Amino acid sequence: GQQLNQSPQSMFIQEGEDVSMNCTSSSIFNTWLWYKQDPGEGPVLLIALYKAGELTSNGRLTAQFGITRKDSFLNISASIPSDVGIYFCAGPSFIQGAQKLVFGQGTRLTINP
Amino acid sequence: SAVISQKPSRDICQRGTSLTIQCQVDSQVTMMFWYRQQPGQSLTLIATANQGSEATYESGFVIDKFPISRPNLTFSTLTVSNMSPEDSSIYLCRRGRTGATCSYEQYFGPGTRLTVT
């Protein structure tokens, strides 16, 4: 089935640094979603990408939909303590039905003040 | 953004008991989804809850263990039956698309953190 490989699995950075994480797949996705999960909470949608090549920003976050439709990246600029959490990429699974989402393994971000 | 609530937010249960988790969404949707997130892991889909029909379970999940109800277009329950410590996880519901949009934006509830002793 469709799988998403997310990297890195964890990151330890200093406050103020930029962060970059990516997600790749062996199959094509027509939509990429990036979520953040805070400890003890459900995932919250950060950015949705619908078009190959699309670059979308949400504050200090920028995400791009790869031109091959098999990858996406998420960048966070000038990280702050509240950026700590787990970031997941996700995409709709068309094998099983349009609304089912396939998730990456997550990138756990830790920030040292 | 959508408003999705779950009850309870957390619980500690004894082995062999059952817990029913409720999910309420703020707009009518055809599909609702239930996920499990084991400690330190990603999200795994348990089942899709369609209003007016039986839930559709993913491989590895069965109705006897995780019965689901979907009595109307804004509400669903998931029961974790005959619990064991391996069932300790966060259980999350997710709202499907509303009829008015083609967007894939998908919203999750806050989760229910279950600990089985």
Side-chain angles (χ1 to χ4, degrees):
Chain A
Q2 293 175 299
Q3 288 186 320
L4 294 178
N5 298 307
Q6 196 171 339
S7 66
Q9 291 188 9
S10 59
M11 302 182 72
F12 298 85
I13 63 168
Q14 298 292 326
E15 184 177 350
E17 287 185 14
D18 297 342
V19 172
S20 184
M21 60 191 78
N22 67 72
C23 205
T24 61
S25 174
S26 58
S27 52
I28 289 172
F29 280 83
N30 290 321
T31 298
W32 287 89
L33 306 171
W34 284 95
Y35 287 88
K36 182 191 177 202
Q37 185 177 29
D38 290 327
E41 303 290 331
V44 173
L45 182 67
L46 297 174
I47 292 178
L49 301 161
Y50 300 105
K51 192 173 171 183
E54 179 182 356
L55 185 71
T56 297
S57 294
N58 178 5
R60 293 177 295 104
L61 277 63
T62 303
Q64 183 155 30
F65 192 147
I67 198 72
T68 65
R69 294 195 283 163
K70 292 184 178 181
D71 63 331
S72 176
F73 71 74
L74 175 71
N75 287 343
I76 305 172
S77 63
S79 58
I80 60 177
S82 61
D83 291 331
V84 166
I86 305 175
Y87 293 79
F88 292 100
C89 61
S93 167
F94 287 97
I95 294 176
Q96 298 167 315
Q99 290 202 49
K100 294 190 182 183
L101 290 182
V102 177
F103 282 86
Q105 304 95 323
T107 296
R108 183 180 297 271
L109 179 62
T110 303
I111 297 177
N112 299 316
Chain B
S1 60
V3 175
I4 304 173
S5 61
Q6 277 185 242
K7 290 182 185 179
S9 59
R10 58 178 62 227
D11 209 339
I12 300 174
C13 300
Q14 289 194 333
R15 182 195 299 262
T17 62
S18 299
L19 176 71
T20 296
I21 303 167
Q22 299 178 5
C23 181
Q24 178 79 50
V25 301
D26 63 339
S27 52
Q28 295 184 338
V29 291
T30 303
M31 293 184 179
M32 294 175 69
F33 303 86
W34 287 98
Y35 289 80
R36 180 176 72 183
Q37 186 177 27
Q38 294 176 302
Q41 302 296 315
S42 186
L43 289 81
T44 301
L45 182 64
I46 298 172
T48 302
N50 299 307
Q51 198 275 332
S53 64
E54 293 288 326
T56 305
Y57 289 82
E58 298 300 303
S59 175
F61 297 96
V62 295
I63 187 171
D64 290 345
K65 175 67 175 177
F66 297 101
I68 286 172
S69 78
R70 185 78 203 275
N72 57 53
L73 290 172
T74 61
F75 187 79
S76 179
T77 68
L78 169 77
T79 299
V80 186
S81 303
N82 188 24
M83 288 184 283
S84 66
E86 292 72 34
D87 294 320
S88 298
S89 296
I90 299 173
Y91 292 86
L92 297 132
C93 69
R94 176 172 69 84
R95 186 204 77 177
R97 286 183 286 176
T98 64
T101 177
C102 294
S103 165
Y104 279 102
E105 295 191 5
Q106 312 274 346
Y107 296 98
F108 281 88
T112 296
R113 183 179 294 272
L114 172 61
T115 302
V116 183
T117 59

